[in-house]
Amino acid sequence: MRALLFASVGFIMAAAPAYESATAILSPPSDADTLTMYSPSDDDALVKEEFIDSHPLTKSLRENPDFVESRPHMKIPESWRKHNLTGGTLIGPGKVAVPPFSWTEKNGKEFVQITHVGTDLCGHMGIIHGGFLATILDEGLGRCCFPVLPFNIGMTAKLEVNYKAPAMADQYLVLRAKTVKAEGRKAWVEGHIETLPMKEGEQPIILATASALYVSPKQAATMAKIYPVT
C-alpha cells in the first residue's frame, strides 16, 4: 500500500507541469489577465517596471479606447517559456529585465511596445546586437497584423531591416508597427524602433526601420488551439 501511495504521489508530481500547460492552453489568460501575472523579482526589475508603468506614453496609450493593453509573453505557459526565445531565453537581469508592455489596435492596424534592453544583449560593447533588434521587430510587426489574419496567426515570409543609429544598451525602446495591407492569408506590415523620451520635450530617435510580409499557414486552425498568440 505504501509503495502504491508513493507511486501515486510521484505520478501526480510528474504530471503536474503537463496539467498546468494543458490548462494554460485550453483556458489561456485574457489580455487583461496578463497585466497582473508578472511580479518583479528584484529591485532593478521593480524600478524598470514602475518607470514604464508611469511613463507619459504609457498613460496616453491607456487613455486611447482603440488600443488593448497586454503583456503577450505572459500567455506562454510557464513550463514552455524556457524554450521560447523572446518569452524566456531573453527575459531576465541584464537582458529584457521585465516582460514588454504592449498595445494592439483592436482592428490590427497598429501595435506599440515598450521594452527595456540591458547590457547583456550587445554585439559591440555597449551597443545592442542588431540581430536582437531584428528579432523584436519580427515579433512586433507580426503581433500587429495577427488580428487581421485567419485564426490570428502568421508566419514570417519576408523581413527587411534597415539600421539607422546605434541602439545603446541599458535604455528603454519603443516599437511601433502599422499594418499597411491585408489580403486573404497575407498581411504587409511596416514599423520601426525608436528611443523612449526620458524627459519632457525630448524627441525620440529612430534606430531601425522594417517592413515584413506575414502569411497565415494552412494549418493555422490547429496552431491556434496549441499556442494562443493573441
Side-chain angles (χ1 to χ4, degrees), residues 115-129 132-133 165-173 193 195 205 207:
T115 307
H116 182 274
V117 291
T119 56
D120 297 343
L121 298 172
C122 298
H124 295 286
M125 184 61 69
I127 300 176
I128 297 299
H129 197 293
F132 173 81
L133 298 180
M168 307 310 294
D170 194 21
Q171 70 167 323
Y172 298 89
L173 302 179
I193 293 173
T195 57
I205 299 171
L207 306 174

mmCIF file with all atom_site columns, all heavy atoms in Angstrom, residues 115-129 132-133 165-173 193 195 205 207:
data_model
loop_
_atom_site.group_PDB
_atom_site.id
_atom_site.type_symbol
_atom_site.label_atom_id
_atom_site.label_alt_id
_atom_site.label_comp_id
_atom_site.label_asym_id
_atom_site.label_entity_id
_atom_site.label_seq_id
_atom_site.pdbx_PDB_ins_code
_atom_site.Cartn_x
_atom_site.Cartn_y
_atom_site.Cartn_z
_atom_site.occupancy
_atom_site.B_iso_or_equiv
_atom_site.pdbx_formal_charge
_atom_site.auth_seq_id
_atom_site.auth_comp_id
_atom_site.auth_asym_id
_atom_site.auth_atom_id
_atom_site.pdbx_PDB_model_num
ATOM 1   N N   . THR A 1 115 ? 9.933  48.396 -24.205 1.00 0.00 ? 115 THR A N   1
ATOM 2   C CA  . THR A 1 115 ? 10.844 47.380 -23.685 1.00 0.00 ? 115 THR A CA  1
ATOM 3   C C   . THR A 1 115 ? 12.091 48.043 -23.102 1.00 0.00 ? 115 THR A C   1
ATOM 4   O O   . THR A 1 115 ? 12.542 49.059 -23.619 1.00 0.00 ? 115 THR A O   1
ATOM 5   C CB  . THR A 1 115 ? 11.311 46.438 -24.825 1.00 0.00 ? 115 THR A CB  1
ATOM 6   O OG1 . THR A 1 115 ? 10.179 45.930 -25.509 1.00 0.00 ? 115 THR A OG1 1
ATOM 7   C CG2 . THR A 1 115 ? 12.144 45.294 -24.296 1.00 0.00 ? 115 THR A CG2 1
ATOM 8   N N   . HIS A 1 116 ? 12.636 47.458 -22.059 1.00 0.00 ? 116 HIS A N   1
ATOM 9   C CA  . HIS A 1 116 ? 13.958 47.879 -21.592 1.00 0.00 ? 116 HIS A CA  1
ATOM 10  C C   . HIS A 1 116 ? 14.967 46.841 -22.033 1.00 0.00 ? 116 HIS A C   1
ATOM 11  O O   . HIS A 1 116 ? 14.745 45.634 -21.890 1.00 0.00 ? 116 HIS A O   1
ATOM 12  C CB  . HIS A 1 116 ? 14.016 48.024 -20.069 1.00 0.00 ? 116 HIS A CB  1
ATOM 13  C CG  . HIS A 1 116 ? 15.363 48.492 -19.597 1.00 0.00 ? 116 HIS A CG  1
ATOM 14  N ND1 . HIS A 1 116 ? 16.411 47.620 -19.351 1.00 0.00 ? 116 HIS A ND1 1
ATOM 15  C CD2 . HIS A 1 116 ? 15.854 49.753 -19.372 1.00 0.00 ? 116 HIS A CD2 1
ATOM 16  C CE1 . HIS A 1 116 ? 17.474 48.301 -18.990 1.00 0.00 ? 116 HIS A CE1 1
ATOM 17  N NE2 . HIS A 1 116 ? 17.176 49.593 -18.982 1.00 0.00 ? 116 HIS A NE2 1
ATOM 18  N N   . VAL A 1 117 ? 16.099 47.302 -22.592 1.00 0.00 ? 117 VAL A N   1
ATOM 19  C CA  . VAL A 1 117 ? 17.143 46.383 -23.040 1.00 0.00 ? 117 VAL A CA  1
ATOM 20  C C   . VAL A 1 117 ? 18.394 46.569 -22.183 1.00 0.00 ? 117 VAL A C   1
ATOM 21  O O   . VAL A 1 117 ? 18.859 47.686 -21.978 1.00 0.00 ? 117 VAL A O   1
ATOM 22  C CB  . VAL A 1 117 ? 17.464 46.593 -24.533 1.00 0.00 ? 117 VAL A CB  1
ATOM 23  C CG1 . VAL A 1 117 ? 16.292 46.127 -25.385 1.00 0.00 ? 117 VAL A CG1 1
ATOM 24  C CG2 . VAL A 1 117 ? 17.777 48.050 -24.852 1.00 0.00 ? 117 VAL A CG2 1
ATOM 25  N N   . GLY A 1 118 ? 18.941 45.470 -21.690 1.00 0.00 ? 118 GLY A N   1
ATOM 26  C CA  . GLY A 1 118 ? 20.069 45.523 -20.777 1.00 0.00 ? 118 GLY A CA  1
ATOM 27  C C   . GLY A 1 118 ? 21.426 45.377 -21.439 1.00 0.00 ? 118 GLY A C   1
ATOM 28  O O   . GLY A 1 118 ? 21.547 45.328 -22.673 1.00 0.00 ? 118 GLY A O   1
ATOM 29  N N   . THR A 1 119 ? 22.429 45.255 -20.616 1.00 0.00 ? 119 THR A N   1
ATOM 30  C CA  . THR A 1 119 ? 23.809 45.260 -21.102 1.00 0.00 ? 119 THR A CA  1
ATOM 31  C C   . THR A 1 119 ? 24.295 43.906 -21.611 1.00 0.00 ? 119 THR A C   1
ATOM 32  O O   . THR A 1 119 ? 25.408 43.801 -22.129 1.00 0.00 ? 119 THR A O   1
ATOM 33  C CB  . THR A 1 119 ? 24.747 45.721 -19.975 1.00 0.00 ? 119 THR A CB  1
ATOM 34  O OG1 . THR A 1 119 ? 24.561 44.864 -18.827 1.00 0.00 ? 119 THR A OG1 1
ATOM 35  C CG2 . THR A 1 119 ? 24.455 47.159 -19.579 1.00 0.00 ? 119 THR A CG2 1
ATOM 36  N N   . ASP A 1 120 ? 23.478 42.870 -21.474 1.00 0.00 ? 120 ASP A N   1
ATOM 37  C CA  . ASP A 1 120 ? 23.892 41.535 -21.915 1.00 0.00 ? 120 ASP A CA  1
ATOM 38  C C   . ASP A 1 120 ? 23.300 41.158 -23.268 1.00 0.00 ? 120 ASP A C   1
ATOM 39  O O   . ASP A 1 120 ? 23.268 39.978 -23.635 1.00 0.00 ? 120 ASP A O   1
ATOM 40  C CB  . ASP A 1 120 ? 23.487 40.483 -20.873 1.00 0.00 ? 120 ASP A CB  1
ATOM 41  C CG  . ASP A 1 120 ? 24.192 40.696 -19.543 1.00 0.00 ? 120 ASP A CG  1
ATOM 42  O OD1 . ASP A 1 120 ? 25.194 41.428 -19.517 1.00 0.00 ? 120 ASP A OD1 1
ATOM 43  O OD2 . ASP A 1 120 ? 23.731 40.133 -18.533 1.00 0.00 ? 120 ASP A OD2 1
ATOM 44  N N   . LEU A 1 121 ? 22.840 42.149 -24.008 1.00 0.00 ? 121 LEU A N   1
ATOM 45  C CA  . LEU A 1 121 ? 22.248 41.912 -25.328 1.00 0.00 ? 121 LEU A CA  1
ATOM 46  C C   . LEU A 1 121 ? 23.088 42.565 -26.424 1.00 0.00 ? 121 LEU A C   1
ATOM 47  O O   . LEU A 1 121 ? 22.583 42.870 -27.499 1.00 0.00 ? 121 LEU A O   1
ATOM 48  C CB  . LEU A 1 121 ? 20.810 42.477 -25.367 1.00 0.00 ? 121 LEU A CB  1
ATOM 49  C CG  . LEU A 1 121 ? 19.817 41.847 -24.398 1.00 0.00 ? 121 LEU A CG  1
ATOM 50  C CD1 . LEU A 1 121 ? 18.497 42.635 -24.412 1.00 0.00 ? 121 LEU A CD1 1
ATOM 51  C CD2 . LEU A 1 121 ? 19.559 40.382 -24.743 1.00 0.00 ? 121 LEU A CD2 1
ATOM 52  N N   . CYS A 1 122 ? 24.356 42.755 -26.137 1.00 0.00 ? 122 CYS A N   1
ATOM 53  C CA  . CYS A 1 122 ? 25.218 43.528 -27.040 1.00 0.00 ? 122 CYS A CA  1
ATOM 54  C C   . CYS A 1 122 ? 25.943 42.681 -28.079 1.00 0.00 ? 122 CYS A C   1
ATOM 55  O O   . CYS A 1 122 ? 26.189 41.484 -27.891 1.00 0.00 ? 122 CYS A O   1
ATOM 56  C CB  . CYS A 1 122 ? 26.254 44.305 -26.231 1.00 0.00 ? 122 CYS A CB  1
ATOM 57  S SG  . CYS A 1 122 ? 25.541 45.510 -25.099 1.00 0.00 ? 122 CYS A SG  1
ATOM 58  N N   . GLY A 1 123 ? 26.298 43.343 -29.187 1.00 0.00 ? 123 GLY A N   1
ATOM 59  C CA  . GLY A 1 123 ? 27.235 42.809 -30.156 1.00 0.00 ? 123 GLY A CA  1
ATOM 60  C C   . GLY A 1 123 ? 28.541 43.521 -29.869 1.00 0.00 ? 123 GLY A C   1
ATOM 61  O O   . GLY A 1 123 ? 29.398 43.021 -29.153 1.00 0.00 ? 123 GLY A O   1
ATOM 62  N N   . HIS A 1 124 ? 28.675 44.757 -30.364 1.00 0.00 ? 124 HIS A N   1
ATOM 63  C CA  . HIS A 1 124 ? 29.773 45.622 -29.935 1.00 0.00 ? 124 HIS A CA  1
ATOM 64  C C   . HIS A 1 124 ? 29.490 46.066 -28.502 1.00 0.00 ? 124 HIS A C   1
ATOM 65  O O   . HIS A 1 124 ? 28.332 46.221 -28.100 1.00 0.00 ? 124 HIS A O   1
ATOM 66  C CB  . HIS A 1 124 ? 29.872 46.844 -30.859 1.00 0.00 ? 124 HIS A CB  1
ATOM 67  C CG  . HIS A 1 124 ? 30.239 46.493 -32.271 1.00 0.00 ? 124 HIS A CG  1
ATOM 68  N ND1 . HIS A 1 124 ? 31.512 46.112 -32.629 1.00 0.00 ? 124 HIS A ND1 1
ATOM 69  C CD2 . HIS A 1 124 ? 29.492 46.459 -33.400 1.00 0.00 ? 124 HIS A CD2 1
ATOM 70  C CE1 . HIS A 1 124 ? 31.541 45.862 -33.933 1.00 0.00 ? 124 HIS A CE1 1
ATOM 71  N NE2 . HIS A 1 124 ? 30.332 46.057 -34.420 1.00 0.00 ? 124 HIS A NE2 1
ATOM 72  N N   . MET A 1 125 ? 30.529 46.255 -27.745 1.00 0.00 ? 125 MET A N   1
ATOM 73  C CA  . MET A 1 125 ? 30.372 46.619 -26.339 1.00 0.00 ? 125 MET A CA  1
ATOM 74  C C   . MET A 1 125 ? 29.500 47.865 -26.178 1.00 0.00 ? 125 MET A C   1
ATOM 75  O O   . MET A 1 125 ? 29.764 48.907 -26.782 1.00 0.00 ? 125 MET A O   1
ATOM 76  C CB  . MET A 1 125 ? 31.748 46.876 -25.710 1.00 0.00 ? 125 MET A CB  1
ATOM 77  C CG  . MET A 1 125 ? 31.697 47.164 -24.215 1.00 0.00 ? 125 MET A CG  1
ATOM 78  S SD  . MET A 1 125 ? 31.013 45.786 -23.255 1.00 0.00 ? 125 MET A SD  1
ATOM 79  C CE  . MET A 1 125 ? 32.344 44.578 -23.438 1.00 0.00 ? 125 MET A CE  1
ATOM 80  N N   . GLY A 1 126 ? 28.442 47.722 -25.383 1.00 0.00 ? 126 GLY A N   1
ATOM 81  C CA  . GLY A 1 126 ? 27.568 48.851 -25.098 1.00 0.00 ? 126 GLY A CA  1
ATOM 82  C C   . GLY A 1 126 ? 26.523 49.132 -26.157 1.00 0.00 ? 126 GLY A C   1
ATOM 83  O O   . GLY A 1 126 ? 25.710 50.049 -26.006 1.00 0.00 ? 126 GLY A O   1
ATOM 84  N N   . ILE A 1 127 ? 26.514 48.348 -27.243 1.00 0.00 ? 127 ILE A N   1
ATOM 85  C CA  . ILE A 1 127 ? 25.548 48.560 -28.327 1.00 0.00 ? 127 ILE A CA  1
ATOM 86  C C   . ILE A 1 127 ? 24.736 47.283 -28.531 1.00 0.00 ? 127 ILE A C   1
ATOM 87  O O   . ILE A 1 127 ? 25.295 46.199 -28.718 1.00 0.00 ? 127 ILE A O   1
ATOM 88  C CB  . ILE A 1 127 ? 26.253 48.937 -29.647 1.00 0.00 ? 127 ILE A CB  1
ATOM 89  C CG1 . ILE A 1 127 ? 27.064 50.225 -29.461 1.00 0.00 ? 127 ILE A CG1 1
ATOM 90  C CG2 . ILE A 1 127 ? 25.237 49.103 -30.776 1.00 0.00 ? 127 ILE A CG2 1
ATOM 91  C CD1 . ILE A 1 127 ? 27.870 50.620 -30.684 1.00 0.00 ? 127 ILE A CD1 1
ATOM 92  N N   . ILE A 1 128 ? 23.418 47.416 -28.489 1.00 0.00 ? 128 ILE A N   1
ATOM 93  C CA  . ILE A 1 128 ? 22.534 46.264 -28.631 1.00 0.00 ? 128 ILE A CA  1
ATOM 94  C C   . ILE A 1 128 ? 22.759 45.580 -29.988 1.00 0.00 ? 128 ILE A C   1
ATOM 95  O O   . ILE A 1 128 ? 22.857 46.239 -31.019 1.00 0.00 ? 128 ILE A O   1
ATOM 96  C CB  . ILE A 1 128 ? 21.059 46.687 -28.495 1.00 0.00 ? 128 ILE A CB  1
ATOM 97  C CG1 . ILE A 1 128 ? 20.799 47.258 -27.091 1.00 0.00 ? 128 ILE A CG1 1
ATOM 98  C CG2 . ILE A 1 128 ? 20.118 45.525 -28.770 1.00 0.00 ? 128 ILE A CG2 1
ATOM 99  C CD1 . ILE A 1 128 ? 21.058 46.291 -25.968 1.00 0.00 ? 128 ILE A CD1 1
ATOM 100 N N   . HIS A 1 129 ? 22.829 44.275 -29.964 1.00 0.00 ? 129 HIS A N   1
ATOM 101 C CA  . HIS A 1 129 ? 23.068 43.490 -31.177 1.00 0.00 ? 129 HIS A CA  1
ATOM 102 C C   . HIS A 1 129 ? 21.946 43.716 -32.199 1.00 0.00 ? 129 HIS A C   1
ATOM 103 O O   . HIS A 1 129 ? 20.767 43.694 -31.858 1.00 0.00 ? 129 HIS A O   1
ATOM 104 C CB  . HIS A 1 129 ? 23.140 41.999 -30.812 1.00 0.00 ? 129 HIS A CB  1
ATOM 105 C CG  . HIS A 1 129 ? 23.757 41.145 -31.871 1.00 0.00 ? 129 HIS A CG  1
ATOM 106 N ND1 . HIS A 1 129 ? 23.165 40.934 -33.096 1.00 0.00 ? 129 HIS A ND1 1
ATOM 107 C CD2 . HIS A 1 129 ? 24.926 40.444 -31.882 1.00 0.00 ? 129 HIS A CD2 1
ATOM 108 C CE1 . HIS A 1 129 ? 23.925 40.133 -33.814 1.00 0.00 ? 129 HIS A CE1 1
ATOM 109 N NE2 . HIS A 1 129 ? 25.001 39.827 -33.113 1.00 0.00 ? 129 HIS A NE2 1
ATOM 110 N N   . PHE A 1 132 ? 19.234 41.164 -32.339 1.00 0.00 ? 132 PHE A N   1
ATOM 111 C CA  . PHE A 1 132 ? 18.182 41.271 -31.324 1.00 0.00 ? 132 PHE A CA  1
ATOM 112 C C   . PHE A 1 132 ? 17.102 42.251 -31.790 1.00 0.00 ? 132 PHE A C   1
ATOM 113 O O   . PHE A 1 132 ? 15.905 41.984 -31.654 1.00 0.00 ? 132 PHE A O   1
ATOM 114 C CB  . PHE A 1 132 ? 18.768 41.743 -29.988 1.00 0.00 ? 132 PHE A CB  1
ATOM 115 C CG  . PHE A 1 132 ? 17.713 42.038 -28.958 1.00 0.00 ? 132 PHE A CG  1
ATOM 116 C CD1 . PHE A 1 132 ? 17.130 41.024 -28.228 1.00 0.00 ? 132 PHE A CD1 1
ATOM 117 C CD2 . PHE A 1 132 ? 17.280 43.349 -28.734 1.00 0.00 ? 132 PHE A CD2 1
ATOM 118 C CE1 . PHE A 1 132 ? 16.133 41.286 -27.290 1.00 0.00 ? 132 PHE A CE1 1
ATOM 119 C CE2 . PHE A 1 132 ? 16.293 43.627 -27.809 1.00 0.00 ? 132 PHE A CE2 1
ATOM 120 C CZ  . PHE A 1 132 ? 15.721 42.587 -27.077 1.00 0.00 ? 132 PHE A CZ  1
ATOM 121 N N   . LEU A 1 133 ? 17.536 43.384 -32.348 1.00 0.00 ? 133 LEU A N   1
ATOM 122 C CA  . LEU A 1 133 ? 16.567 44.365 -32.852 1.00 0.00 ? 133 LEU A CA  1
ATOM 123 C C   . LEU A 1 133 ? 15.713 43.748 -33.959 1.00 0.00 ? 133 LEU A C   1
ATOM 124 O O   . LEU A 1 133 ? 14.496 43.961 -34.015 1.00 0.00 ? 133 LEU A O   1
ATOM 125 C CB  . LEU A 1 133 ? 17.284 45.607 -33.373 1.00 0.00 ? 133 LEU A CB  1
ATOM 126 C CG  . LEU A 1 133 ? 18.106 46.401 -32.356 1.00 0.00 ? 133 LEU A CG  1
ATOM 127 C CD1 . LEU A 1 133 ? 18.748 47.606 -33.034 1.00 0.00 ? 133 LEU A CD1 1
ATOM 128 C CD2 . LEU A 1 133 ? 17.253 46.845 -31.178 1.00 0.00 ? 133 LEU A CD2 1
ATOM 129 N N   . ALA A 1 165 ? 20.646 54.038 -36.540 1.00 0.00 ? 165 ALA A N   1
ATOM 130 C CA  . ALA A 1 165 ? 21.534 54.582 -35.497 1.00 0.00 ? 165 ALA A CA  1
ATOM 131 C C   . ALA A 1 165 ? 21.804 53.490 -34.483 1.00 0.00 ? 165 ALA A C   1
ATOM 132 O O   . ALA A 1 165 ? 21.000 52.564 -34.327 1.00 0.00 ? 165 ALA A O   1
ATOM 133 C CB  . ALA A 1 165 ? 20.883 55.791 -34.826 1.00 0.00 ? 165 ALA A CB  1
ATOM 134 N N   . PRO A 1 166 ? 22.936 53.570 -33.780 1.00 0.00 ? 166 PRO A N   1
ATOM 135 C CA  . PRO A 1 166 ? 23.237 52.550 -32.766 1.00 0.00 ? 166 PRO A CA  1
ATOM 136 C C   . PRO A 1 166 ? 22.196 52.567 -31.649 1.00 0.00 ? 166 PRO A C   1
ATOM 137 O O   . PRO A 1 166 ? 21.767 53.640 -31.200 1.00 0.00 ? 166 PRO A O   1
ATOM 138 C CB  . PRO A 1 166 ? 24.607 52.972 -32.237 1.00 0.00 ? 166 PRO A CB  1
ATOM 139 C CG  . PRO A 1 166 ? 25.190 53.836 -33.309 1.00 0.00 ? 166 PRO A CG  1
ATOM 140 C CD  . PRO A 1 166 ? 24.027 54.549 -33.916 1.00 0.00 ? 166 PRO A CD  1
ATOM 141 N N   . ALA A 1 167 ? 21.800 51.384 -31.222 1.00 0.00 ? 167 ALA A N   1
ATOM 142 C CA  . ALA A 1 167 ? 20.891 51.259 -30.082 1.00 0.00 ? 167 ALA A CA  1
ATOM 143 C C   . ALA A 1 167 ? 21.737 50.965 -28.852 1.00 0.00 ? 167 ALA A C   1
ATOM 144 O O   . ALA A 1 167 ? 22.294 49.875 -28.716 1.00 0.00 ? 167 ALA A O   1
ATOM 145 C CB  . ALA A 1 167 ? 19.886 50.140 -30.326 1.00 0.00 ? 167 ALA A CB  1
ATOM 146 N N   . MET A 1 168 ? 21.864 51.929 -27.985 1.00 0.00 ? 168 MET A N   1
ATOM 147 C CA  . MET A 1 168 ? 22.723 51.770 -26.817 1.00 0.00 ? 168 MET A CA  1
ATOM 148 C C   . MET A 1 168 ? 22.062 50.866 -25.781 1.00 0.00 ? 168 MET A C   1
ATOM 149 O O   . MET A 1 168 ? 20.833 50.849 -25.629 1.00 0.00 ? 168 MET A O   1
ATOM 150 C CB  . MET A 1 168 ? 23.046 53.129 -26.205 1.00 0.00 ? 168 MET A CB  1
ATOM 151 C CG  . MET A 1 168 ? 23.614 54.146 -27.200 1.00 0.00 ? 168 MET A CG  1
ATOM 152 S SD  . MET A 1 168 ? 24.991 53.513 -28.207 1.00 0.00 ? 168 MET A SD  1
ATOM 153 C CE  . MET A 1 168 ? 26.239 53.267 -26.945 1.00 0.00 ? 168 MET A CE  1
ATOM 154 N N   . ALA A 1 169 ? 22.892 50.116 -25.072 1.00 0.00 ? 169 ALA A N   1
ATOM 155 C CA  . ALA A 1 169 ? 22.392 49.219 -24.034 1.00 0.00 ? 169 ALA A CA  1
ATOM 156 C C   . ALA A 1 169 ? 21.896 50.001 -22.826 1.00 0.00 ? 169 ALA A C   1
ATOM 157 O O   . ALA A 1 169 ? 22.229 51.172 -22.647 1.00 0.00 ? 169 ALA A O   1
ATOM 158 C CB  . ALA A 1 169 ? 23.485 48.248 -23.618 1.00 0.00 ? 169 ALA A CB  1
ATOM 159 N N   . ASP A 1 170 ? 21.092 49.335 -22.008 1.00 0.00 ? 170 ASP A N   1
ATOM 160 C CA  . ASP A 1 170 ? 20.549 49.908 -20.779 1.00 0.00 ? 170 ASP A CA  1
ATOM 161 C C   . ASP A 1 170 ? 19.702 51.140 -21.064 1.00 0.00 ? 170 ASP A C   1
ATOM 162 O O   . ASP A 1 170 ? 19.937 52.222 -20.516 1.00 0.00 ? 170 ASP A O   1
ATOM 163 C CB  . ASP A 1 170 ? 21.667 50.244 -19.794 1.00 0.00 ? 170 ASP A CB  1
ATOM 164 C CG  . ASP A 1 170 ? 21.130 50.514 -18.386 1.00 0.00 ? 170 ASP A CG  1
ATOM 165 O OD1 . ASP A 1 170 ? 20.009 50.073 -18.083 1.00 0.00 ? 170 ASP A OD1 1
ATOM 166 O OD2 . ASP A 1 170 ? 21.830 51.180 -17.591 1.00 0.00 ? 170 ASP A OD2 1
ATOM 167 N N   . GLN A 1 171 ? 18.725 50.965 -21.937 1.00 0.00 ? 171 GLN A N   1
ATOM 168 C CA  . GLN A 1 171 ? 17.778 52.041 -22.216 1.00 0.00 ? 171 GLN A CA  1
ATOM 169 C C   . GLN A 1 171 ? 16.418 51.448 -22.576 1.00 0.00 ? 171 GLN A C   1
ATOM 170 O O   . GLN A 1 171 ? 16.279 50.241 -22.792 1.00 0.00 ? 171 GLN A O   1
ATOM 171 C CB  . GLN A 1 171 ? 18.277 52.943 -23.341 1.00 0.00 ? 171 GLN A CB  1
ATOM 172 C CG  . GLN A 1 171 ? 18.270 52.312 -24.725 1.00 0.00 ? 171 GLN A CG  1
ATOM 173 C CD  . GLN A 1 171 ? 18.467 53.347 -25.831 1.00 0.00 ? 171 GLN A CD  1
ATOM 174 O OE1 . GLN A 1 171 ? 17.981 54.471 -25.758 1.00 0.00 ? 171 GLN A OE1 1
ATOM 175 N NE2 . GLN A 1 171 ? 19.207 52.954 -26.864 1.00 0.00 ? 171 GLN A NE2 1
ATOM 176 N N   . TYR A 1 172 ? 15.436 52.334 -22.637 1.00 0.00 ? 172 TYR A N   1
ATOM 177 C CA  . TYR A 1 172 ? 14.078 51.931 -22.977 1.00 0.00 ? 172 TYR A CA  1
ATOM 178 C C   . TYR A 1 172 ? 13.835 52.171 -24.464 1.00 0.00 ? 172 TYR A C   1
ATOM 179 O O   . TYR A 1 172 ? 14.205 53.219 -24.998 1.00 0.00 ? 172 TYR A O   1
ATOM 180 C CB  . TYR A 1 172 ? 13.061 52.727 -22.157 1.00 0.00 ? 172 TYR A CB  1
ATOM 181 C CG  . TYR A 1 172 ? 13.180 52.499 -20.671 1.00 0.00 ? 172 TYR A CG  1
ATOM 182 C CD1 . TYR A 1 172 ? 14.036 53.297 -19.893 1.00 0.00 ? 172 TYR A CD1 1
ATOM 183 C CD2 . TYR A 1 172 ? 12.460 51.493 -20.031 1.00 0.00 ? 172 TYR A CD2 1
ATOM 184 C CE1 . TYR A 1 172 ? 14.161 53.096 -18.528 1.00 0.00 ? 172 TYR A CE1 1
ATOM 185 C CE2 . TYR A 1 172 ? 12.578 51.284 -18.667 1.00 0.00 ? 172 TYR A CE2 1
ATOM 186 C CZ  . TYR A 1 172 ? 13.426 52.085 -17.920 1.00 0.00 ? 172 TYR A CZ  1
ATOM 187 O OH  . TYR A 1 172 ? 13.555 51.875 -16.574 1.00 0.00 ? 172 TYR A OH  1
ATOM 188 N N   . LEU A 1 173 ? 13.204 51.201 -25.114 1.00 0.00 ? 173 LEU A N   1
ATOM 189 C CA  . LEU A 1 173 ? 12.914 51.294 -26.538 1.00 0.00 ? 173 LEU A CA  1
ATOM 190 C C   . LEU A 1 173 ? 11.427 51.179 -26.795 1.00 0.00 ? 173 LEU A C   1
ATOM 191 O O   . LEU A 1 173 ? 10.704 50.495 -26.061 1.00 0.00 ? 173 LEU A O   1
ATOM 192 C CB  . LEU A 1 173 ? 13.645 50.180 -27.308 1.00 0.00 ? 173 LEU A CB  1
ATOM 193 C CG  . LEU A 1 173 ? 15.167 50.118 -27.194 1.00 0.00 ? 173 LEU A CG  1
ATOM 194 C CD1 . LEU A 1 173 ? 15.693 48.944 -28.009 1.00 0.00 ? 173 LEU A CD1 1
ATOM 195 C CD2 . LEU A 1 173 ? 15.800 51.422 -27.653 1.00 0.00 ? 173 LEU A CD2 1
ATOM 196 N N   . ILE A 1 193 ? 11.832 50.940 -34.591 1.00 0.00 ? 193 ILE A N   1
ATOM 197 C CA  . ILE A 1 193 ? 12.194 51.015 -33.181 1.00 0.00 ? 193 ILE A CA  1
ATOM 198 C C   . ILE A 1 193 ? 12.770 52.401 -32.931 1.00 0.00 ? 193 ILE A C   1
ATOM 199 O O   . ILE A 1 193 ? 13.607 52.883 -33.708 1.00 0.00 ? 193 ILE A O   1
ATOM 200 C CB  . ILE A 1 193 ? 13.231 49.952 -32.801 1.00 0.00 ? 193 ILE A CB  1
ATOM 201 C CG1 . ILE A 1 193 ? 12.618 48.559 -32.908 1.00 0.00 ? 193 ILE A CG1 1
ATOM 202 C CG2 . ILE A 1 193 ? 13.756 50.180 -31.387 1.00 0.00 ? 193 ILE A CG2 1
ATOM 203 C CD1 . ILE A 1 193 ? 13.617 47.438 -32.702 1.00 0.00 ? 193 ILE A CD1 1
ATOM 204 N N   . THR A 1 195 ? 13.856 55.410 -29.610 1.00 0.00 ? 195 THR A N   1
ATOM 205 C CA  . THR A 1 195 ? 14.146 55.589 -28.193 1.00 0.00 ? 195 THR A CA  1
ATOM 206 C C   . THR A 1 195 ? 12.916 56.126 -27.478 1.00 0.00 ? 195 THR A C   1
ATOM 207 O O   . THR A 1 195 ? 12.065 56.799 -28.083 1.00 0.00 ? 195 THR A O   1
ATOM 208 C CB  . THR A 1 195 ? 15.314 56.564 -27.988 1.00 0.00 ? 195 THR A CB  1
ATOM 209 O OG1 . THR A 1 195 ? 14.989 57.821 -28.628 1.00 0.00 ? 195 THR A OG1 1
ATOM 210 C CG2 . THR A 1 195 ? 16.592 56.014 -28.597 1.00 0.00 ? 195 THR A CG2 1
ATOM 211 N N   . ILE A 1 205 ? 14.539 59.057 -31.128 1.00 0.00 ? 205 ILE A N   1
ATOM 212 C CA  . ILE A 1 205 ? 15.471 58.810 -32.222 1.00 0.00 ? 205 ILE A CA  1
ATOM 213 C C   . ILE A 1 205 ? 15.140 57.457 -32.839 1.00 0.00 ? 205 ILE A C   1
ATOM 214 O O   . ILE A 1 205 ? 15.073 56.443 -32.130 1.00 0.00 ? 205 ILE A O   1
ATOM 215 C CB  . ILE A 1 205 ? 16.926 58.802 -31.722 1.00 0.00 ? 205 ILE A CB  1
ATOM 216 C CG1 . ILE A 1 205 ? 17.288 60.160 -31.117 1.00 0.00 ? 205 ILE A CG1 1
ATOM 217 C CG2 . ILE A 1 205 ? 17.893 58.447 -32.859 1.00 0.00 ? 205 ILE A CG2 1
ATOM 218 C CD1 . ILE A 1 205 ? 18.631 60.159 -30.403 1.00 0.00 ? 205 ILE A CD1 1
ATOM 219 N N   . LEU A 1 207 ? 15.936 54.173 -34.501 1.00 0.00 ? 207 LEU A N   1
ATOM 220 C CA  . LEU A 1 207 ? 17.134 53.339 -34.511 1.00 0.00 ? 207 LEU A CA  1
ATOM 221 C C   . LEU A 1 207 ? 17.139 52.316 -35.645 1.00 0.00 ? 207 LEU A C   1
ATOM 222 O O   . LEU A 1 207 ? 18.192 51.965 -36.172 1.00 0.00 ? 207 LEU A O   1
ATOM 223 C CB  . LEU A 1 207 ? 17.271 52.619 -33.169 1.00 0.00 ? 207 LEU A CB  1
ATOM 224 C CG  . LEU A 1 207 ? 17.253 53.522 -31.925 1.00 0.00 ? 207 LEU A CG  1
ATOM 225 C CD1 . LEU A 1 207 ? 17.236 52.671 -30.672 1.00 0.00 ? 207 LEU A CD1 1
ATOM 226 C CD2 . LEU A 1 207 ? 18.460 54.454 -31.935 1.00 0.00 ? 207 LEU A CD2 1
#
